[in-house]
């Protein structure tokens, strides 16, 4: 795009190395410079910029390890981000004003992106080989649908470490409810609001099989912006898969090769 706009500016009336002679040529000239500058910045070898991805590919080719290459590229991205922040702040205190702050802001953005890439890599590595059945919360507490929210909080949530509550009506599972859903209801209305009126109907919750890779389930939740997934096999609800449960799983089993007891999928 940068080259196209510069060629267009030259054809309209902006000789190479000179100022444009018309407003249209000036706009094309500046668009050319801006796009070339953006391309150059994106080729900085700091992951996850395009240049960082190129560096990652080279390191992957040299080391033979995608994880190690991603980690090195992310660390390089963080180092470059710190340099940009320091350089930008230095320019700001030397009197560059907004220009220096802008560079520091870009460095901060790159630092945040590089750290996010490292976190994503650690998450993917920790969940490698794990299935939804290994991570899900299977010991879901059964709650009657007629119960009001005040009693639900007092009798179930406060006395249980569980975040998986299955709502039943006439011994039939009709939905699920989480403490987050209760927070949306004003506290003064808890006694007049039933669990069944707040729950998420089971038919409206996206379900996944227990043998689905846990990383794929997380990607599905992120892509479709889902708060949780139900785990179903043979028409039977087996448990609940949520980011909270994934974090809890990683805190306990991260770095260990063994599967948690009692969670082996059939």
């Amino acid at each position: 795009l940068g080259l196209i706009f510069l060629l267009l500016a030259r054809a309209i009336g902006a000789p190479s190395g000179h100022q444009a002679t018309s407003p249209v040529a000036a706009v094309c000239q500046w668009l050319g410079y801006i796009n070339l500058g953006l391309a150059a910045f994106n080729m900085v070898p700091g992951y996850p910029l395009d240049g960082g991805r190129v560096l990652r590919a080279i390191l992957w080719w040299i080391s033979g390890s995608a994880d190690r290459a991603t980690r090195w590229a992310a660390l390089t991205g963080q180092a470059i981000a710190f340099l940009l922040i320091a350089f930008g702040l230095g320019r700001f205190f030397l009197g560059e004003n907004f220009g220096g702050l802008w560079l520091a802001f870009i460095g901060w953005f790159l630092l945040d992106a590089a750290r996010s890439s490292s976190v994503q890599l650690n998450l993917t590595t920790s969940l490698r080989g794990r299935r939804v059945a290994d991570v899900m919360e299977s010991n879901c507490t059964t709650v009657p649908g007629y119960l009001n929210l005040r009693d639900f909080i007092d009798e179930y949530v406060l006395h249980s470490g569980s975040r998986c509550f299955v709502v039943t009506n006439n011994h039939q599972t009709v939905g699920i409810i989480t403490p987050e859903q209760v927070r949306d209801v004003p506290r003064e209305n808890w006694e007049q609001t039933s669990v069944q009126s707040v729950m998420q109907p089971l038919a409206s919750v996206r379900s996944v099989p227990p043998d689905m890779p846990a990383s794929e389930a997380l990607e599905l939740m992120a892509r479709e912006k889902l708060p949780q997934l139900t785990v179903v096999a043979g028409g039977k609800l087996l448990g609940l898969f949520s980011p909270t449960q994934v974090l809890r799983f990683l805190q306990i089993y991260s770095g260990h090769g063994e599967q948690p007891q009692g969670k082996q999928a059939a």
Side-chain angles (χ1 to χ4, degrees):
L1 283 174
L3 292 175
I4 289 172
F5 277 118
L6 287 179
L7 289 174
L8 186 59
R10 187 171 183 180
I12 294 175
S16 179
H18 296 81
Q19 292 293 329
T21 57
S22 69
V24 176
V27 170
C28 291
Q29 192 175 50
W30 276 109
L31 283 174
Y33 292 148
I34 290 171
N35 277 282
L36 287 179
L38 182 62
F41 175 75
N42 273 308
M43 289 310 297
V44 171
Y47 196 80
L49 295 176
D50 293 338
R53 297 181 185 277
V54 173
L55 174 64
R56 174 179 177 269
I58 295 173
L59 294 174
W60 188 354
W61 177 68
I62 293 174
S63 67
S65 171
D67 292 346
R68 202 178 313 158
T70 304
R71 191 170 288 107
W72 288 345
L75 288 175
T76 304
Q78 293 182 44
I80 292 174
F82 279 120
L83 290 176
L84 274 176
I85 292 173
F87 182 66
L89 291 177
R91 290 188 61 184
F92 172 74
F93 288 114
L94 289 175
E96 291 291 335
N97 297 326
F98 182 74
L101 283 181
W102 182 246
L103 273 179
F105 175 76
I106 292 175
W108 173 81
F109 175 79
L110 179 59
L111 178 64
D112 185 65
R115 284 176 173 172
S116 297
S117 299
S118 296
V119 171
Q120 184 178 8
L121 172 64
N122 293 334
L123 180 62
T124 303
T125 303
S126 300
L127 291 180
R128 184 170 296 154
R130 306 288 189 179
R131 297 167 296 174
V132 167
D134 301 323
V135 184
M136 70 178 186
E137 185 171 1
S138 57
N139 298 320
C140 296
T141 305
T142 302
V143 180
Y146 60 80
L147 202 68
N148 66 52
L149 296 184
R150 174 74 65 186
D151 291 339
F152 168 63
I153 294 295
D154 293 341
E155 297 177 15
Y156 290 88
V157 177
L158 295 181
H159 295 87
S160 170
S162 175
R163 301 184 65 85
C164 177
F165 298 95
V166 176
V167 183
T168 61
N169 189 5
N170 295 327
H171 306 290
Q172 297 291 327
T173 301
V174 294
I176 60 172
I177 186 170
T178 62
E180 287 77 12
Q181 291 169 293
V182 179
R183 293 196 193 106
D184 297 332
V185 180
R187 188 180 295 267
E188 58 271 17
N189 296 335
W190 281 4
E191 292 185 2
Q192 294 79 37
T193 306
S194 68
V195 167
Q196 190 164 345
S197 64
V198 177
M199 72 173 190
Q200 188 172 6
L202 198 61
S204 67
V205 184
R206 182 69 180 270
S207 62
V208 294
D211 58 349
M212 183 180 191
S215 57
E216 290 185 16
L218 275 179
E219 292 174 4
L220 174 65
M221 294 177 66
R223 185 170 60 251
E224 300 188 11
K225 299 180 180 179
L226 303 171
Q228 65 263 325
L229 299 169
T230 55
V231 184
V232 178
K236 182 181 179 181
L237 178 65
L238 301 181
L240 194 67
F241 182 89
S242 66
T244 302
Q245 184 62 20
V246 172
L247 290 176
R248 187 180 302 171
F249 176 88
L250 293 178
Q251 289 172 352
I252 299 174
Y253 296 105
S254 181
H256 300 279
E258 73 274 8
Q259 294 287 341
Q261 294 296 324
K263 290 242 180 152
Q264 299 291 340

